[in-house]
Amino acid sequence: PSIHPMNIHPEFHRFLPRRDKEKLLRQRGMVVWLCGLSGSGKSTIANAAERVLYQQGRFTAILDGDNLRTGLTRDLGFSAEDRGESVRRASEVAALFNEAGIITVVTLISRKKI
């Protein structure tokens, strides 16, 4: 059964404001997007950055493409369409984390179209 658009009622306007969450966390939410080919060091950089930010008292999350493939994007393959959908889903999660005041590092493979 599909959800009819008339039954979707976003509640964003009733959520605690981002500025209040950022005040609680004592940080600004942001998304850092690391892209590159497989084996280029995206995850290594993200892990090192997370440790430094943790030492500074920052609350972080890493959205790693390989980890996302075990859950959020496990139904997707590697076609151009599926890779685009994977990026879209990661973007949506990163946006939600950003709104919650979390420093989010996204690591996804990217390829230049020729």
Side-chain angles (χ1 to χ4, degrees):
S2 63
I3 299 174
H4 190 279
M6 298 297 287
N7 294 329
I8 297 174
H9 305 286
E11 293 289 325
F12 298 117
H13 65 285
R14 294 177 22 168
F15 292 176
L16 188 65
R18 174 181 172 172
R19 69 181 175 277
D20 292 343
K21 296 171 186 178
E22 290 177 334
K23 184 178 177 183
L24 175 70
L25 294 171
R26 297 185 184 131
Q27 67 184 34
R28 295 281 318 258
M30 68 178 66
V31 176
V32 178
W33 198 284
L34 303 177
C35 54
L37 296 175
S38 181
S40 63
K42 300 175 301 295
S43 297
T44 301
I45 292 168
N47 287 310
E50 183 178 47
R51 289 184 185 344
V52 169
L53 291 165
Y54 174 79
Q55 290 172 350
Q56 295 174 356
R58 307 294 182 200
F59 185 74
T60 62
I62 296 176
L63 297 176
D64 181 86
D66 287 341
N67 291 347
L68 293 176
R69 284 204 173 267
T70 68
L72 186 66
T73 62
R74 74 173 161 245
D75 62 319
L76 301 176
F78 293 91
S79 68
E81 182 178 293
D82 282 355
R83 287 193 316 267
E85 176 61 13
S86 178
V87 169
R88 188 194 71 76
R89 291 181 192 182
S91 298
E92 289 291 337
V93 174
L96 290 169
F97 284 3
N98 185 50
E99 192 63 28
I102 299 169
I103 298 169
T104 307
V105 182
V106 182
T107 61
L108 291 177
I109 292 175
S110 67
R111 296 177 193 215
K112 182 177 179 181
K113 286 190 175 185
I114 298 174

